[in-house]
Every structure is written in structure tokens, then in C-alpha cells.
Amino acid sequence: MSDETVATDTDDARVRVAIIGSGPAGSYAAAHLLRHSARELHVDVFERLPTPWGLVRHGVAPDHPKIKSVTKIYERTAEHDRQRLFGNVEFGREITLADLRAHYHAIIYAVGTPVDRALGIPGEELGRSYAATDFVGWYNGHPDFRDLRFDLSGERAVVVGAGNVALDVARMLMLTERELASTDIADHALEVLATSQIREVQVIARRGPEQAAFTNPELLELADLSEADVVVDPDELALVDGLSDPTIDTTSRRNAEILREYAGTPPSGKPRRVVLRFLLSPIAIEGDRRVEGVTLARNELVASEDGSMRAKATDERISIPAHTVFRAIGYTGTPLPDVPFDERLGVISNVGGRVVGPEGVRRGEYVVGWAKRGPSGVIGTNKKDANDTVERLLEDLGGGRLLDPAPITDAALDAYIRERQPSVVDYEDWARIDKHEQKLGEQSGRPRVKLTRVQEMLAAAKRR
Ligand code: NAP
């Protein structure tokens, strides 16, 4: 509990901020508001699902429990006595922008960029051509994805993209049942992955090793796979010898070193393999109704005007027979009702976190995280990003440039929201879901067994 509880429930001086989304960006924004603001500032977090923490729960791979432990920090913020959680409340459905404008001085969108980017090539829509975003949501037990079906009965999968999501997908396909069974992977995914026949995953980068978007620990940890060798063809790396990219950073340089080490290490004879390939762009996914292979163009690197290297297709074509394709080429945003959206960038239109519409800066509306800058960076990147936006909000608070809602008590506002969504999941309710999941996990030596249906979550939330 904070020692700052001076304002009373009927205090007209309260400044109310609504945050839409309880993932990392929303959690960091809340923390910065509560840390740096006047004591009468109150934060209500709206979350579409009954469970908080966004991509930490539904994006971070199950075999990365350390990354997930960041929720301990979010919990401390969520337990602050000037913050409330309204879970199971969807913006634009149960609660509208007009509702929020009537009751809050400011609104911060922290909704991420939830959908996959399309490759835009023939065959993308075939059966067994999957969006990595769907696969990730599915193995992490996101209720929207839990009923999807993944056919892993073939020997080779191709993963398009050279980012950390591509590596997550490759690892998840290569971990053994025993390794997966000690994680918080959704039960339905464990069942399917346990019987997977996939023996080889080819991860396809359109540019060279120095331009790959992996981070170093994620690339290095492939070597720890107990059942899969990491294979890099030295001849493919040699295609970029002598080229230098002045725009790359130390992470990229280290990536290239790690990849050269992989290329110089003969396979140790493990039963499965992850093959990392470079300078290849898929131009068609082949198959009759279902994926049977991928046709790729061999690329060369050419310097762009800013010096960075881009991929240019040569006339060379190669075919990889494959049973499944996972498209892991990044996420993009979807528009929220009544909120300006930049279709080209796939983010909420903003300048430095202030939402901007055709009429200019929108009073009292802000954006943080991937919805602000696009899907880049690691979880911690969202902290500075959220803090920067909150600083703009606090400047506007100081300058009298927020919204001007009629005063309302906490209790009246709570009643107003519950009138629109009677099944609100508040923080105590979530704590019950959390405890329930962890208890289920204890019985099988796992961190938790995730509930994957909203109705199950609501039942656990209300169980006393
Ligand atoms: P990402 O890092 O942006 O990587 C996307 C990859 O797809 C890039 O290699 C990109 O190549 C490639 N690509 C884009 N369009 C393509 C096309 N048309 N054809 C072929 N390849 C294409 O995206 P992400 O992997 O989805 O990750 C999103 C963010 O989450 C990243 O910041 C990532 O680091 C983070 N994340 C972190 C972790 C972790 O820390 N463990 C785990 C998962 C995700 P180009 O570079 O040539 O465009």
C-alpha cells in the first residue's frame, strides 16, 4: 500500500487516466504516472482479456520464464492504491472513446500491434501456411487462438523471417516433450507438439547475417537445444564476404560472428536440425490446397541511399519441399474505433506519443509501446518509450491541456463500467485466477497451467 492516500473518494481534484491495455507498455506508463505525478492522479487500466500482462503472458515463449518474471514489477504497480484493473472490458465494445472522454482527463492507448504482416505472395493462404502470431498465441494459451489447429505431421517446416519470433517458433518446434512439459505452455499445444513429426526447421532470412534481426542471447541459445543441431551453410555466408554495412550495430556484428561459429561447427548428430539460411526471399508457397514447398529467389545485397543493405532478387531460384510454412515477418496494428490510425506504419497516428488526427493533436489522448512506434525492441524498450509519452502527458496536465470530465467518485465510475460489463475482472479477481493456475501447475511441476477459455477464467476469478 502507498503512503500517499490523502485524496478521498469524493475528491473533485482527482485526475483520472485510463490506460487501454495491461501489457508491458501500459504497465510502464502506469508506473511512471504513479511515480511522478501529483498524488491525486488515479489510473484505471482496461484490459480486453480477464488476464493482464499482454505479450508477457501471450507472446514470450514458454521456455523463457526469466523474461516472464518481469510481471513481478508490473504486479507492484497494479497493487498501488491509486490504480485499478478493469479486465474483460474491451475498448470500442463495452467501453467507448466517448465513455472514457466523459470520465477521464487522459487516455493512453497501449494496445500493441496484434496481427501478422502478410508476405503478399501466391500460396500464402494455403492450408499449413501459418502466421507465427497465431502459432505464438496458440502455444501461449491466448483464448482467441486456442481452437486453431496446427498440422505438424510432416518432416520439414520453413519459417520465413529472421527475427526473434522466427527463432521462438523454431525453438518451440524443436524442443522435446520433456522440455516443454516443465513450462507454462498451453496444454492443448503440448499435446500437439509432443507428437510433432517435424525434424528440420529452415529459418529463411532475406538479407545477410549482419542484417538479421535476432538478438544475441536468442541466437546463441539455439545451441542449447538438446535434440537439434544448428546448421549454417558456410557457402551461403561467403556470398556476403567483403561487403560491409555501415549502418549495423554491435548486436548485428555479434550475430554475424555467432553465425560464422555455427557455420564452422559440424553437426553433432542430434536427430533434428535448425537450418539458418540467408539471402533468400520466398516468391511463392507451392501446393494444391496445402503447403508442399516454397520457391525462393536468391538475393544479393545492394546499398540503399542511406548506406543500409537491402535485398535484391537475382534470377536464381531454389525450391525447398516443406510440409508447413510459418510466416514470421513482423506484426502490425489494427485500428481502434474512433482512434486515428496510420495505415502505412500500422500504428496509432502520433507525434512523440501524442495522438494526432486530421484536426491536429487530440487533447488528452496518448499512445505507448508498439502501438506508438511499431513492433520493435525487447520488453525493456517499452519503459523509456512509455516514460517519454507520460512526460508529454504530465506537461499537458501542467499546461491545462487535458480533457475536462465532470467529477465522479471512484465508486460511481466503477458502477458505470460494471453497468456496461457486469463481468469485470478486477485485480483481486485476477489474483484468484493467477493462484488457481499456479496451484494447478504445482501438481505437475510446472510454473502454472494456463486457463485458456474466458469462461474458465471468469469462474476462477469469482471462486472464493
Ligand atoms: P522483427 O524483429 O522485425 O523481424 C522480422 C523479420 O522478418 C526481419 O528479419 C525482416 O527482414 C523479415 N521480413 C520482413 N518482411 C519480409 C518479407 N516480405 N520477406 C521476408 N522477410 C521479411 O519482428 P519479430 O521477429 O516479429 O519480432 C518483433 C519484436 O519482438 C522484435 O523487436 C523482437 O526482438 C521482439 N521479440 C523479442 C523476443 C526476445 O527478446 N526473446 C522474442 C520475440 C520477439 P528485414 O530486416 O530484411 O526487413
Side-chain angles (χ1 to χ4, degrees):
M1 292 283 276
S2 152
D3 58 358
E4 299 176 15
T5 43
V6 173
T8 67
D9 200 29
T10 53
D11 194 338
D12 285 1
R14 281 187 178 184
V15 174
R16 297 190 183 276
V17 178
I19 297 181
I20 316 302
S22 66
S27 298
Y28 290 125
H32 201 61
L33 279 167
L34 294 168
R35 198 177 321 119
H36 286 272
S37 65
R39 56 180 40 177
E40 69 272 14
L41 196 146
H42 288 244
V43 175
D44 286 343
V45 175
F46 292 85
E47 166 58 56
R48 179 167 79 85
L49 293 171
T51 55
W53 320 143
L55 273 189
V56 176
R57 180 175 168 102
H58 292 124
V60 175
D63 63 329
H64 280 169
K66 254 200 209 144
I67 299 182
K68 288 175 198 252
S69 64
V70 70
T71 56
K72 292 275 166 266
I73 296 169
Y74 306 158
E75 281 167 9
R76 276 207 296 279
T77 307
E79 285 159 13
H80 195 291
D81 57 8
R82 285 185 284 124
Q83 177 163 329
R84 296 185 293 187
L85 173 68
F86 290 96
N88 200 32
V89 180
E90 183 170 350
F91 177 88
R93 210 169 120 152
E94 284 94 24
I95 199 98
T96 65
L97 178 57
D99 293 331
L100 294 179
R101 282 171 156 271
H103 295 103
Y104 291 86
H105 295 83
I107 302 145
I108 301 179
Y109 304 107
V111 293
T113 52
V115 297
D116 65 296
R117 289 184 51 228
L119 276 166
I121 59 171
E124 195 165 4
E125 68 303 331
L126 287 173
R128 302 196 302 244
S129 159
Y130 304 122
T133 47
D134 289 354
F135 188 55
V136 169
W138 173 76
Y139 65 58
N140 275 321
H142 191 302
D144 291 357
F145 303 94
R146 65 103 52 229
D147 292 319
L148 296 181
R149 296 273 172 269
F150 291 90
D151 177 348
L152 308 178
S153 62
E155 292 226 333
R156 183 181 292 125
V158 163
V159 180
V160 182
N164 283 331
V165 169
L167 292 188
D168 281 350
V169 170
R171 252 187 8 267
M172 290 302 290
L173 291 170
M174 292 290 97
L175 287 168
T176 63
E177 180 183 1
R178 192 180 45 79
E179 286 164 328
L180 291 169
S182 60
T183 72
D184 68 359
I185 185 173
D187 280 347
H188 55 253
L190 178 59
E191 217 172 280
V192 174
L193 285 163
T195 58
S196 162
Q197 296 302 307
I198 295 176
R199 293 290 168 268
E200 180 178 290
V201 179
Q202 295 212 10
V203 177
I204 309 289
R206 64 176 166 182
R207 297 192 286 159
E210 288 187 331
Q211 290 79 27
F214 313 133
T215 44
N216 303 152
E218 280 62 29
L219 185 55
L220 279 168
E221 79 177 319
L222 287 181
D224 299 334
L225 287 167
S226 67
E227 295 283 305
D229 279 317
V230 185
V231 177
V232 177
D233 179 356
D235 291 343
E236 218 159 60
L237 296 194
L239 293 173
V240 296
D241 279 352
L243 280 179
S244 74
D245 184 337
T247 65
I248 64 163
D249 57 15
T250 43
T251 296
S252 307
R253 249 185 288 280
R254 179 71 189 120
N255 272 345
E257 279 170 23
I258 298 166
L259 288 161
R260 291 207 162 77
E261 284 161 26
Y262 281 142
T265 310
S268 69
K270 292 177 186 173
R272 304 183 191 182
R273 24 194 256 155
V274 176
V275 186
L276 302 172
R277 306 207 52 181
F278 295 90
L279 295 167
L280 290 171
S281 280
I283 53 173
I285 301 176
E286 312 292 350
D288 171 24
R289 293 194 302 129
R290 283 188 281 273
V291 171
E292 289 163 23
V294 186
T295 302
L296 304 113
R298 167 67 69 201
N299 296 327
E300 59 185 3
L301 290 181
V302 292
S304 306
E305 264 174 29
D306 64 357
S308 65
M309 293 290 180
R310 65 180 176 81
K312 181 168 176 265
T314 67
D315 293 336
E316 186 186 338
R317 300 284 176 269
I318 62 168
S319 295
I320 304 178
H323 182 263
T324 44
V325 170
F326 292 89
R327 306 170 323 255
I329 61 163
Y331 291 68
T332 188
T334 46
L336 292 177
D338 307 321
V339 180
F341 188 72
D342 184 327
E343 292 286 348
R344 193 177 61 83
L345 298 177
V347 299
I348 292 175
S349 306
N350 75 95
V351 174
R354 288 185 175 103
V355 174
V356 176
E359 68 281 21
V361 170
R362 296 250 295 231
R363 185 178 268 256
E365 287 179 65
Y366 302 85
V367 58
V368 291
W370 283 7
K372 168 187 172 186
R373 67 175 194 279
S376 65
V378 292
I379 288 173
T381 314
N382 293 299
K383 188 171 181 182
K384 179 173 185 309
D385 171 292
N387 292 358
D388 287 347
T389 293
V390 167
E391 289 298 326
R392 302 292 81 73
L393 187 157
L394 295 174
E395 277 167 27
D396 293 346
L397 171 63
R401 293 187 295 274
L402 296 185
L403 298 165
D404 191 19
I408 187 168
T409 63
D410 272 355
L413 187 47
D414 186 86
Y416 178 87
I417 294 159
R418 285 174 193 273
E419 204 178 293
R420 277 149 188 76
Q421 170 53 293
S423 306
V424 162
V425 171
D426 63 22
Y427 192 74
E428 285 69 36
D429 294 332
W430 154 244
R432 275 187 287 275
I433 299 174
D434 191 25
K435 209 164 156 195
H436 177 70
E437 289 188 340
Q438 292 187 37
K439 209 162 164 201
L440 291 175
E442 270 169 31
Q443 293 157 15
S444 46
R446 306 173 62 189
R448 69 177 63 238
V449 172
K450 281 183 181 171
L451 301 181
T452 59
R453 294 208 186 274
V454 168
Q455 285 314 319
E456 290 172 349
M457 295 172 189
L458 296 181
K462 302 301 169 196
R463 204 173 291 141
R464 300 203 181 248

